[in-house]
Amino acid sequence: MLDGLALTLFIVACIVIIYHHAGYPLLLRVLSRKHPSPPPYFHRHFNVTPLDLMLPRICLVMPAHNEADTISDKIYNLGTLDYPENKLRIIIVCDGCTDETADIARGAAKARENRHLTIDVVDKPDNCGKVAVLNEAISLCNCDVVVLSDVSALLSIDSLLITASQLSEDDTGVVCGSYQFFQSLSAGEQAYWAYQRQIKTRESAIGATLGVHGAFYGFRRKLFERLPPDTINDDFVLPVSIVMKGYKCLYDPRIVAVELEQACNEMDFSRRKRIAAGNVQQAIRCIGLLQPRFGKIAFNFFSGKFLRPMMPAFLFLALVSSAWLAPHHWFYTLAFTGQLIAYLVSGLYILTGSQPGWKPLRVIYYIVSGHLAMGIGLLRYAFGLESGQWKKVEPGSAVKKSKGSTQGV
């Protein structure tokens, strides 16, 4: 009887694991064969034209905490964006910074290259957390479109024009862009982000992208609802709250956000644990998206975001059940041995703060370490160990370019 139960658990676990990682992307590929072309946008070429009157007013909000190394580069980048200066307002909220972020921001805003920008630098003495900053800043925005962007990400010059074009469609509520890195990534990270971009492209093709990256996304101001103060992954909860109102969230690869910082292995693992805790939180709080009335959105949510935080549990079931069945057949012995080796090798590299040199092993390491971070994040959320406070990388724990250079995370 126990052997039958172990076999059932092994089969169910394998089916769910394979579906989440391979079956879902394959189904998306089939469903998104008729990929609609993105709408054309108005190329201003930095010229003032009568068509500027048709463009929406945009408020670009950037929460910042100890961003002295990147804030100047970001403001100079914003100075190159092609958008009518009288229709763009930039709000930089320095949330309890202990460095010179605010002073550097004000200095960069006064530079000749950036004087055409309307920039408000708000220096808050106490660290309130990113969600509190967003709730306060967005509520004060008197505009048509709000754009959120990380200080550490440089934007392509047409980002705002493309956003405006996408949001000119009445049924579109959120637009996000492609998240890329300036510095080279490991093989595992490259494979992961290529996988993520492919998923988002195909989800967007069927009008049901879920979740965006905080490096850049824009939405209709009138659709914003204040976020719960304990929200962890605000870049999922905020867009989904708009999607649940019946609007589309679209991914447009023509919008590019290039990250300026690259975290070390230790910081990357810590970041993934926090995101994992947010994945658990959003799966619980957004469970209403599983209702049949949401159609393709429900399908995407279940297959991607809802199953993701459950993967550590299914992987554990696959390991335990294959260990139980190993004495009965060579297949289960092989399955158990393969899993055990992958976990032990990945765990060793995590403990030593390094990564394997062999490319296939790096990909396996990145996948396994991601699910391990997910499991830890699940436990941290269950025991209330995650908060909405900022956690800034300390000097030396990330690879950074020198000031004045083009950088990316």
Side-chain angles (χ1 to χ4, degrees), residues 307-358:
L307 284 181
R308 185 173 300 171
M310 298 181 185
M311 282 302 106
F314 284 106
L315 288 168
F316 180 74
L317 283 178
L319 179 67
V320 172
S321 58
S322 61
W324 182 275
L325 296 169
H328 303 292
H329 197 279
W330 65 266
F331 174 79
Y332 302 110
T333 302
L334 184 62
F336 171 70
T337 304
Q339 293 174 82
L340 192 61
I341 292 175
Y343 295 148
L344 290 176
V345 171
S346 298
L348 178 63
Y349 279 107
I350 291 172
L351 290 175
T352 57
S354 60
Q355 291 191 18
W358 188 39

Side-chain angles (χ1 to χ4, degrees), residues 143-154:
C143 59
D144 305 303
V145 173
V146 174
V147 167
L148 301 182
S149 181
D150 290 341
V151 172
S152 59
L154 300 184

